[in-house]
Amino acid sequence: MCAALEKENHLLAAGKLKDVAAMLPMKQKEMAALEDALSANEGDAEQKRALATPDLEEAARQFGALVRTNRKLLKNAIDAQNAVIRLIVDAAQASSAGYVSSGHYGADTIASGALRLRSDV
């Protein structure tokens, strides 16, 4: 699972969101396997004590750090996509281009922003 998170974090940092989305089935499969492995040892306290080694504790810390980084990168990617969508929606709403009462296509002659959507091009 750590390898998948590292790869996803790298792709998120590089802005390769399509590649991140393509990883989802593999990530879900690995998470299910991790959940199964963890739930298999739920009730056995002696086995839990035997597994509590410094190496395992370090692996858990590393996994936690990867998860926190992943959460932050995913939030940043979602926020960026929302900002782009908001720009497009705002520009589309600000435009007064469309069909006028005569039935012809009319557009305002005043530029209303840096981003403008036109259907006549």
Side-chain angles (χ1 to χ4, degrees):
M1 187 67 214
C2 286
L5 283 173
E6 287 173 345
K7 181 177 180 182
E8 184 174 77
N9 289 349
H10 175 73
L11 292 171
L12 284 166
K16 296 181 178 182
L17 302 182
K18 282 187 177 185
D19 293 337
V20 170
M23 285 186 63
L24 184 60
M26 181 211 35
K27 188 177 168 186
Q28 289 172 326
K29 184 186 280 187
E30 289 191 21
M31 280 302 295
L34 178 61
E35 288 173 7
D36 289 345
L38 292 173
S39 66
N41 296 319
E42 274 184 359
D44 192 351
E46 186 176 320
Q47 189 174 17
K48 281 183 184 178
R49 278 192 300 278
L51 289 174
T53 65
D55 288 342
L56 186 60
E57 289 175 6
E58 177 57 31
R61 276 192 290 277
Q62 180 186 8
F63 181 73
L66 286 168
V67 168
R68 285 187 296 279
T69 300
N70 186 261
R71 184 178 296 128
K72 182 177 131 187
L73 290 168
L74 283 170
K75 183 184 180 319
N76 290 346
I78 291 167
D79 289 348
Q81 286 183 338
N82 286 338
V84 169
I85 290 168
R86 177 57 38 210
L87 281 173
I88 293 169
V89 168
D90 288 349
Q93 289 174 344
S95 173
S96 63
Y99 290 96
V100 294
S101 61
S102 67
H104 293 90
Y105 187 79
D108 62 357
T109 57
I110 301 170
S112 60
L115 179 61
R116 190 164 171 119
L117 300 177
R118 291 182 45 192
S119 64
D120 61 338
V121 286

